[in-house]
Amino acid sequence: DKNHPEVKSLVGFARGKAIVVKDVDELKKVEVPLRKVGLVSQTTQLMENFSKVISEVLKREPLEFRVFNTICNDTKKRQESAAKLAKDSDVMIIVGGKISANTKRLFEICSGICGLSHHIETAAELKQEWFKNKELVGIASGASTPDWIINEIRKGIYIK
């Protein structure tokens, strides 16, 4: 996410020598030769996506290639758990900040599995029609979402 503060900081540190891509499709559009490459993952990135980017860089046969996997293990576990929950849920509620990379990634994962996924920040955003004729509602939250917000959301869900 080229607009994420973590990524902006790394780009600034690279003094204009950084190229930010979110996936293989964006990497394929990069036309400059990749001779000396340092590849750094955003901490919330999916390992599957990061691995595909690594493979694509290797196809270009760089002279030097260093990979820095900074994907957070706790984030990876949270993503895996949310995906598992989404498979079993009629509706998914993903709770956390709208600009949180961690929460946005959870929403991407869940909405790809459970089409009725909603990213909200507070219980005030809940819409009861989301739960009409539904049996199982899954709730996943970003790493920094406080428990009290999650509890308010749990209390605000009524299955009829």
Side-chain angles (χ1 to χ4, degrees):
D1 177 3
K2 63 184 167 191
N3 294 314
H4 190 276
E6 177 183 287
V7 176
K8 285 182 175 181
S9 176
L10 289 171
V11 169
F13 186 74
R15 296 186 209 122
K17 295 181 182 179
I19 299 169
V20 179
V21 297
K22 74 175 187 175
D23 55 26
V24 171
D25 292 336
E26 284 192 10
L27 178 58
K28 287 179 178 179
K29 295 175 186 173
V30 174
E31 295 182 15
V32 297
L34 301 177
R35 294 292 164 231
K36 289 179 111 179
V37 179
L39 184 63
V40 181
S41 64
Q42 188 171 342
T43 58
T44 58
Q45 191 53 249
L46 296 172
M47 180 54 86
E48 178 183 0
N49 189 42
F50 188 52
S51 296
K52 288 178 182 177
V53 172
I54 292 169
S55 295
E56 184 63 27
V57 171
L58 286 171
K59 288 178 186 176
R60 296 184 183 205
E61 300 179 357
L63 298 174
E64 184 177 337
F65 185 31
R66 296 183 186 188
V67 176
F68 300 91
N69 178 1
T70 61
I71 296 173
C72 174
N73 195 44
D74 287 339
T75 297
K76 181 181 173 202
K77 287 178 185 176
R78 185 178 295 269
Q79 291 170 348
E80 290 169 352
S81 295
K84 185 177 178 186
L85 182 59
K87 287 177 186 173
D88 296 330
S89 299
D90 297 316
V91 178
M92 279 297 294
I93 304 298
I94 296 80
V95 186
K98 297 286 186 179
I99 62 170
S100 162
N102 174 289
T103 307
K104 286 193 293 188
R105 188 87 61 225
L106 282 176
F107 177 71
E108 289 172 12
I109 292 165
C110 292
S111 61
I113 298 167
C114 176
L116 297 175
S117 295
H118 306 279
H119 180 179
I120 64 172
E121 292 181 325
T122 68
E125 296 174 71
L126 290 170
K127 293 185 170 76
Q128 291 308 314
E129 61 263 20
W130 295 345
F131 313 112
K132 187 176 181 181
N133 300 319
K134 305 298 184 234
E135 292 184 23
L136 182 62
V137 177
I139 301 174
S141 65
S144 59
T145 304
D147 288 343
W148 67 267
I149 291 178
I150 298 165
N151 288 333
E152 279 188 356
I153 288 167
R154 286 180 62 214
K155 291 175 187 174
I157 296 173
Y158 300 101
I159 298 178
K160 296 177 183 178

